[in-house]
Amino acid sequence: MKLKIIAFITALLVIGFATALFLYNKPHKDIRSARPDYITNVETLMLEFGANQQAAFERYAGKVLLVSGQIGIIVGCLKSTLQETYCMKASLEPGTRWISAF
């Protein structure tokens, strides 16, 4: 009985380690050569997130977006593995709704 439990725990550890190793070494998506999944503008994006944030998140999460429009204020930045920095905060009217994308 003890041997089966030890074998089961060992198998789980090996599978977990293999999965973590696979995900860690998975190549990143090349954004420069990727075609956008959605082409939209700031106003439409803000209206979608304002109407139903969960549905908009499910639609756009993990996708490449090409968003046109004016950036209101830069609130945060992200440095990529290519040493490029991406920052964005969009605002339709100052002080109302906004979207922050990193």
Side-chain angles (χ1 to χ4, degrees):
M1 183 69 174
K2 266 189 175 180
L3 187 60
K4 287 183 181 182
I5 293 173
I6 292 173
F8 180 72
I9 292 173
T10 304
L12 282 179
L13 288 173
V14 169
I15 291 170
F17 180 74
T19 302
L21 191 62
F22 171 75
L23 292 176
Y24 181 77
N25 290 316
K26 184 178 170 184
H28 298 286
K29 195 175 203 178
D30 183 15
I31 299 298
R32 288 185 180 176
S33 62
R35 293 180 46 169
D37 297 314
Y38 293 100
I39 299 174
T40 186
N41 58 38
V42 172
E43 292 83 11
T44 305
L45 196 62
M46 287 178 53
L47 290 174
E48 286 185 42
F49 272 92
N52 189 342
Q53 186 175 9
Q54 182 64 30
F57 180 77
E58 288 173 6
R59 180 176 183 186
Y60 295 120
K63 307 288 185 199
V64 176
L65 302 175
L66 177 60
V67 181
S68 61
Q70 205 166 12
I71 296 176
I73 301 167
I74 296 175
V75 293
C77 300
L78 175 68
K79 192 168 267 198
S80 73
T81 55
L82 301 173
Q83 300 302 315
E84 295 177 350
T85 304
Y86 300 96
C87 307
M88 185 179 122
K89 177 185 175 186
S91 177
L92 203 56
E93 296 175 3
T96 58
R97 293 189 242 174
W98 56 272
I99 295 175
S100 179
F102 297 93

